[in-house]
Amino acid sequence: MKTERSLLDFCTDKNLYPVIDKVLSGERLTFEDGVKLFNTNDLLTLGTLANLKKEEKSGKYVYFVINRQINPTNICTLGCKFCAFATIDKNDPKAYEMTINEILEKAKYAVSQGASEVHIVGGLHPDWQFEDYLNIIKSLKENFPQLHIKAFTAVEIDYLSKLAELSYEETIVALKEAGLGSLPGGGAEIFSSRVRRIIAPEKIGWKKYLEIHKTAHKLGLKSTTTMLYGHVETIEERVDHILKIREAQDETGGFTCFIPLAFQPENNDLGKTEHTSGIDDLKTIAVSRLLLDNVPHIKSYWVMLGEKIAQIALNFGADDMDGTVMEEKIAHFAGAKSPTQQQKERLIRLIKEADKIPVERDTLYNHIKIYE
Ligand code: V47
């Protein structure tokens, strides 16, 4: 009996045959290939292909980090329609701003839990000055020099550059000198101008978002990048977004990881109430892995996917689970059903059950401990 079969024997979607050939021969995929992959109903072939590419990049390893998110304020001048976390009104009962001491207390707890990273993002506060933001970084670095500070999305960097009347380069250099270690990927949403006009009309556009990341890369900082999906965007707009990231990465190579963020639909002004489906989540992870041949890691962000889909995604091309997080606000203001933090032991179990090898990493993917 012949047991050796090819992927094509199992594939139920003939439209995928040419794309499968390209993936197996290492050829770069096009916009049209990306759309075909999103539109297929053959989820298992898609997952198998993405897992193959994941294994070429990181073998059986799946990464996690002991980290803490800190969101210094949710008061924000932007008023994005999709965002349930921020408020434009300082008198809103949910409005808050942390003092430096409160931020340091949170970092102190993180360090006591073995954290190697703090991830800091928040609102564009109408009264805070550049020095206030700079001070957050400086104080953290002075008190906890061992912590990697991943802070301020491109949207915040743009705001800070205006406050300080500095160029992007000068702003990032000042933050780097204060102790900034890398940039997080938030604020990308969907790059399409059509979508941005609907969901975030006041936010910087994709050109500035990528310009800021590329500037950071040229200054020696790494960064991550994201895509918020499952609201008003089309499949074509998702593929376009992913390919713009691939193009920027060709230029600088500074992105460590891509994070598809599943839209959480409560408490927003878009009138959206539906969560993304499990199939859509898995397809988005897999297509991202296949299109982004030049980005080392794809994150299965358990906060927004939920633990169960995040775990399955580890066999659909993802090789990173983010981390312990310790205090998640952005997704939970918007109705996320996941816990607001994770124990390291649980992340290890989720990864092992997916038949992968858990690796505790630092922000830049240096290995801290392999759990064989
Ligand atoms: O920029 C806001 C998104 C981002 C909602 O860089 C929402 O490693 C879903 O970027 N539903 C912040 N998403 C989170 C983020 C992130 C998270 C984890 C790791 C990294 C990384 C980055 O969350 C925002 C926005 O794009 N967001 N509201 C919502 N209702």
Side-chain angles (χ1 to χ4, degrees), residues 336-360:
K337 304 288 180 273
S338 55
T340 57
Q341 58 177 307
Q342 279 291 354
Q343 296 305 315
K344 166 176 130 179
E345 292 70 27
R346 178 134 188 99
L347 289 172
I348 292 170
R349 185 186 141 192
L350 292 171
I351 296 167
K352 282 193 168 165
E353 276 184 5
D355 193 29
K356 305 291 181 195
I357 301 168
V359 180
E360 183 185 336

Side-chain angles (χ1 to χ4, degrees), residues 236-286:
E236 286 75 10
E237 285 162 339
R238 287 189 202 179
V239 174
D240 173 70
H241 180 107
I242 297 170
L243 293 187
K244 284 193 164 76
I245 287 170
R246 187 171 79 182
E247 207 179 304
Q249 180 75 338
D250 276 343
E251 265 182 63
T252 64
F255 290 122
T256 54
C257 181
F258 177 67
I259 308 125
L261 298 168
F263 181 60
Q264 308 299 308
E266 286 178 26
N267 306 320
N268 68 77
D269 292 334
L270 282 181
K272 271 292 282 186
T273 52
E274 245 188 335
H275 283 266
T276 56
S277 71
I279 301 275
D280 193 19
D281 292 334
L282 293 174
K283 276 186 179 178
T284 307
I285 293 270

